[in-house]
């Protein structure tokens, strides 16, 4: 378990490619969940034939503004 708390991080206006099918991954500490994470105007495309990109999340409180590709994680349980 981590003893570091992450908060108020902004991922804005990100465009690019990904070789990984899970191109957005928010994995935070269960002891100190991340808070105030902003995902804004993100557009990632696969660089290889890996199928549609997806995102994952655990122990993070985030909010979305603008368009996000791949779509933001549904939950962070």
């Amino acid at each position: 378990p981590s003893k570091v708390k992450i908060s108020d991080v902004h991922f804005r206006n990100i465009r690019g490619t990904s070789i990984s099918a899970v191109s957005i991954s928010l994995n935070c500490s269960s002891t100190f969940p991340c808070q105030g994470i902003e995902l804004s105007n993100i557009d990632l495309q696969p660089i290889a034939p890996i199928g549609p990109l997806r995102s994952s999340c655990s122990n993070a409180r985030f909010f979305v503004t603008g368009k996000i590709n791949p779509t933001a994680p549904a939950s962070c349980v």
Side-chain angles (χ1 to χ4, degrees), residues 39-59:
L39 303 175
S40 177
N41 298 318
I42 297 173
D43 185 18
L44 300 173
Q45 301 297 322
I47 197 167
I50 56 175
L53 298 180
R54 60 187 190 278
S55 57
S56 71
C57 183
S58 64
N59 304 309

Side-chain angles (χ1 to χ4, degrees), residues 3-4 10 14 17-18 23 39 41 46-47 53 60 64 71 74-77:
K3 295 185 187 238
V4 175
H10 307 275
I14 298 171
T17 57
S18 176
S23 58
L39 303 175
N41 298 318
I47 197 167
L53 298 180
V64 174
T71 57
S75 66
C76 279
V77 178

Side-chain angles (χ1 to χ4, degrees), residues 27-45:
N27 295 312
C28 300
S29 167
S30 59
T31 306
F32 297 104
C34 298
Q35 296 180 335
I37 309 301
E38 176 188 17
L39 303 175
S40 177
N41 298 318
I42 297 173
D43 185 18
L44 300 173
Q45 301 297 322

